[in-house]
Amino acid sequence: MNDKLKLETLLMHYGEEPSDFHGAVVPPIYQNSLFTFKDWDALDEAFDNRKDTYIYTRGKNPTVSVFEKKIAKVAGGEKAQLFPSGMAAISAAILHCINSGDHIITINNIYGPANNLLQSYLKPKFGIEITYISGTDLDEFEKAIKPNTSLIYLESPSSAIFSLQDIEGVAALANEKGIKTIIDNTWATPLFQSPLKMGIDLEVHSCSKYIGGHSDVVAGVVIGNDVDIDEIFLNEYEWLGAKTAPFEAWLLIRSLRTLPLRMKQHQESGIAIANYLEMHDKVVHVNYPGLESFPQFELGRKQMKGTTGLISFRLQTDDLEKIKIFFNGLKIFRKGVSWGGHESLIYAPAISYLKELTEKQFVGMCISLADMRISVGLENADDLIADLEEAFKLI
Ligand SMILES: *Cc1c(COP(=O)(O)O)cnc(C)c1O
């Protein structure tokens, strides 16, 4: 297929050949554990090329491959490996880049479970050292580098406060020093940010968010060059056994087809709601890379092609009772974790962070009790604003 075609067209057709599937307009779900071969020699040959041959579904599966080809193409990578969750993708990518005793540099506001992997697992079990920085200044990265630094792990925009890192700058620094780089690109999606084209080695996504988009799949993906992804497939994917269900891949192929349309709408409604919140007298401030008041708005404009529907804001009150009244007063916004689906959601980081962190750590992460995170879904934005307005009237 002509790969000069535009993204929307590639997402529709790239990586699937209807003639391979009897002309079926949607690729089938290959729900089989193994593949059979004509004879001894055919099997023998298959083992010589395990990374590109369908032998057993813990390894390659044709439905999974269709998704991987599409997402790799859109992200500007050579190959992708799909995983059964974003965390499985993150742990595989990190394990690929480190040896015991190595040092990792990451940011203060890294996604909580990824931090648990580093702090509660890799550090005590494998002697991994970790340095946390704000990530907003390139010098911080340079100063944090040690002789045993093997990985810089980025998340831009980051969880909770959506702070950005200068992706091109960090990639150049890391490449010069022979340090591997991973970025969690879940917030921006491969449509709005292309870190591999900026020199990052591995891009990871939770496909449970915008990529899936329908709140019916948990999955994750690692995208990079042929060498890294083949190694991740042969080692972390097959050995750790984190096999992706063909049905999940099939749902994700469906999701990719509408990703550009959905992101356009999430962006449009996200901007409308962020503007509404910013003008509201019961809101102290709004964290959203799409607002001009965002401290790193210019960097965002330089390295991202769009903004999304994930917004956080701080209520003016710090009275927990009132905060709960506001939260519970929303009718269209549903209450729950995760984000990026068709439905609008609200979540307060305090609900989980207060259980895991001391108050001091909590403040150190720039999070307060009054912080709300909303995921603007695909409902009509005027209805969503009216819903917020009713809840504000209660406090
Ligand atoms: C949800 C999320 C993950 C983890 O993905 P799962 O699919 O839930 O395992 C990783 N990074 C970010 C930024 C996320 O929001």
Side-chain angles (χ1 to χ4, degrees):
M1 167 158 220
N2 171 3
D3 42 5
K4 296 279 173 311
L5 292 167
K6 302 264 191 306
L7 275 181
E8 293 82 355
T9 315
L10 288 169
L11 281 171
M12 232 45 80
H13 303 295
Y14 189 82
E16 47 188 310
E17 206 48 72
S19 58
D20 291 346
F21 313 127
H22 304 281
V25 72
V26 174
I29 305 168
Y30 279 85
Q31 190 61 36
N32 49 302
S33 62
L34 66 117
F35 297 80
T36 57
F37 294 81
K38 187 167 98 268
D39 55 18
W40 175 293
D41 285 346
L43 252 168
D44 189 66
E45 207 176 295
F47 277 111
D48 286 340
N49 189 19
R50 270 177 45 226
K51 63 182 176 50
D52 291 314
T53 311
Y54 304 119
I55 301 173
Y56 183 57
T57 287
R58 178 156 49 73
K60 294 282 165 196
N61 173 282
T63 313
V64 175
S65 297
V66 170
F67 173 80
E68 290 170 342
K69 282 181 195 151
K70 272 190 207 296
I71 193 112
K73 185 78 195 160
V74 168
E78 289 173 350
K79 261 191 172 173
Q81 178 63 55
L82 185 58
F83 282 87
S85 72
M87 274 311 298
I90 288 170
S91 16
I94 292 176
L95 288 172
H96 170 69
C97 296
I98 58 163
N99 289 303
S100 55
D102 281 355
H103 172 237
I104 299 177
I105 300 169
T106 191
I107 54 160
N108 297 327
N109 280 289
I110 177 176
Y111 177 66
N115 190 40
N116 294 343
L117 170 74
L118 298 179
Q119 273 297 327
S120 311
Y121 198 86
L122 295 178
K123 187 172 157 183
K125 283 195 149 206
F126 302 99
I128 297 298
E129 290 179 68
I130 306 145
T131 299
Y132 296 93
I133 55 177
S134 78
T136 50
D137 181 357
L138 208 49
D139 286 344
E140 279 179 294
F141 285 94
E142 184 136 28
K143 287 199 191 106
I145 295 175
K146 298 186 188 187
N148 60 337
T149 305
S150 60
L151 172 63
I152 299 179
Y153 183 93
L154 306 179
E155 193 181 305
S156 182
S158 71
S159 288
I161 60 167
F162 318 134
S163 60
L164 312 183
Q165 298 103 57
D166 174 347
I167 299 172
E168 226 163 11
V170 175
L173 173 70
N175 287 338
E176 185 197 309
K177 309 263 183 197
I179 298 169
K180 283 273 196 189
T181 45
I182 300 176
I183 187 168
D184 183 333
N185 196 26
T186 304
W187 193 95
T189 83
L191 295 190
F192 288 165
Q193 185 162 268
S194 307
L196 298 175
K197 293 181 188 160
M198 298 183 229
I200 293 290
D201 293 311
L202 292 169
E203 169 175 351
V204 294
H205 289 272
S206 167
C207 301
S208 325
K209 313 295 164 57
Y210 286 124
I211 291 177
H214 296 65
S215 303
D216 53 11
V217 185
V218 172
V221 69
V222 186
I223 315 162
N225 67 32
D226 284 335
V227 176
D228 280 325
I229 299 299
D230 284 345
E231 281 182 16
I232 287 174
F233 167 71
L234 291 169
N235 301 335
E236 287 79 18
Y237 186 73
E238 280 220 87
W239 292 347
L240 297 181
K243 162 246 164 199
T244 314
F247 179 54
E248 314 288 81
W250 183 83
L251 285 169
L252 289 170
I253 296 165
R254 172 265 339 234
S255 293
L256 278 185
R257 301 193 204 280
T258 59
L259 185 63
L261 273 176
R262 287 186 285 110
M263 293 317 295
K264 226 182 250 178
Q265 190 58 51
H266 285 298
Q267 165 163 253
E268 190 184 310
S269 300
I271 291 170
I273 289 175
N275 281 326
Y276 158 79
L277 289 169
E278 190 164 51
M279 301 302 290
H280 208 287
D281 58 6
K282 288 182 180 160
V283 173
V284 192
H285 84 114
V286 181
N287 254 321
Y288 180 61
L291 282 177
E292 275 182 47
S293 61
F294 186 72
Q296 296 171 293
F297 179 73
E298 281 311 320
L299 177 60
R301 195 141 71 171
K302 188 176 141 233
Q303 62 188 23
M304 293 197 284
K305 291 194 279 290
T307 181
T308 71
L310 192 66
I311 302 168
S312 71
F313 59 97
R314 186 164 294 176
L315 294 172
Q316 204 182 31
T317 177
D318 51 13
D319 173 346
L320 188 57
E321 280 317 304
K322 281 193 173 171
I323 294 170
K324 285 184 184 175
I325 289 171
F326 169 79
F327 188 91
N328 296 337
L330 289 164
K331 294 196 170 75
I332 301 176
F333 283 85
R334 299 172 73 169
K335 290 98 195 162
V337 296
S338 195
W339 48 273
H342 59 278
E343 77 290 9
S344 289
L345 288 170
I346 183 159
Y347 184 67
I351 296 171
S352 56
Y353 278 127
L354 277 183
K355 294 188 201 304
E356 292 165 14
L357 303 174
T358 63
E359 194 110 13
K360 191 159 158 264
Q361 283 173 312
F362 192 63
V363 173
M365 287 182 77
C366 312
I367 300 170
S368 100
L369 275 182
D371 283 340
M372 300 288 125
R373 188 190 71 190
I374 55 172
S375 172
V376 176
L378 299 175
E379 301 93 341
N380 183 290
D382 294 340
D383 288 341
L384 295 174
I385 289 173
D387 195 32
L388 287 162
E389 190 57 33
E390 287 306 309
F392 280 126
K393 281 190 195 144
L394 303 173
I395 61 170

